[in-house]
Amino acid sequence: MTLGIIGQAAGLFAVTNIDDILILALFFAQGAGRRGSTRKIVLGQYLGFAAILAVAVAAAFGATFLPESAIPYLGLLPLALGLKAARQAWKHRDEDGGDEGEAPRSGPTAMAVAAVTFANGGDNIGVYVPVFATAGIGGMSVYAAVFLILVAVWCFAGKFFATRPVIAKALARWGHILLPVVLIAIGLLILIEGGAFGL
């Protein structure tokens, strides 16, 4: 029974978080060569995912923190972070005479990673709540434990992809452009799919 729940939890996590590997790879590329950036990214990923779990568990027990109509507006977080990253990339380009081969000087902060993780997890909450509600407290604990272990695996995978020579070279050259584009796209997708602002 527990092995079955572990397998279901692993499958559910993989399906609902596959896009996070790309985002993590971009964050790791942005933080490459910056002291403490790996720790900040991992901490941010755990903070963001812990918040997703907390909301999903609370909702499964019937104490919803956010009304369902508010969830699409979480898209404003990655949208704002993407616009900020785009502004920084543009500013850095001007300062260095248009050299597009270098990323902005500052690496990602733990809170920025947490905000993007949480905002991108709005759909995860919708999937986790019914699963948690039917799993009971014991099953929910197994799901949460498996999810938290797999967050570390996802962080490792994101860093692995960001440090492969071909991928690292592409991310080093284009990551400062790709990160804002991905964040803005995620934000817009969350807003549009959720019908925020009547979209």
Side-chain angles (χ1 to χ4, degrees):
M1 170 97 174
T2 304
L3 284 177
I5 294 176
I6 290 171
Q8 290 170 9
L12 182 62
F13 182 89
V15 167
T16 55
N17 291 287
I18 196 71
D19 53 341
D20 277 354
I21 291 180
L22 171 62
I23 296 166
L24 282 166
L26 289 169
F27 278 133
F28 280 117
Q30 185 185 18
R34 293 174 180 87
R35 192 177 170 130
S37 66
T38 297
R39 185 176 20 104
K40 290 177 189 173
I41 294 166
V42 172
L43 175 63
Q45 184 72 5
Y46 267 102
L47 287 173
F49 198 81
I52 291 169
L53 272 181
V55 171
V57 168
F61 283 120
T64 53
F65 292 123
L66 294 173
E68 193 171 320
S69 61
I71 291 177
Y73 293 96
L74 291 174
L76 292 172
L77 288 170
L79 180 62
L81 290 168
L83 291 172
K84 181 181 176 187
R87 184 177 58 86
Q88 287 176 339
W90 182 260
K91 182 179 174 183
H92 180 71
R93 184 185 72 88
D94 288 344
E95 288 173 0
D96 286 350
D99 182 8
E100 64 183 14
E102 294 183 23
R105 294 192 205 307
S106 62
T109 65
M111 291 313 294
V113 175
V116 170
T117 301
F118 184 73
N120 193 36
D123 57 337
N124 296 28
I125 294 169
V127 174
Y128 296 164
V129 169
V131 172
F132 286 179
T134 58
I137 293 175
M140 203 183 309
S141 300
V142 173
Y143 272 95
V146 171
F147 286 1
L148 291 173
I149 291 167
L150 289 177
V151 167
V153 173
W154 249 234
C155 289
F156 176 80
K159 182 151 189 174
F160 175 81
F161 289 124
T163 55
R164 297 306 89 203
V166 172
I167 297 171
K169 186 174 179 182
L171 290 177
R173 181 171 178 141
W174 301 107
H176 65 291
I177 295 170
L178 194 55
L179 180 65
V181 168
V182 168
L183 292 178
I184 290 168
I186 287 171
L188 290 174
L189 189 66
I190 293 169
L191 289 169
I192 292 168
E193 284 188 349
F197 304 112
L199 298 173

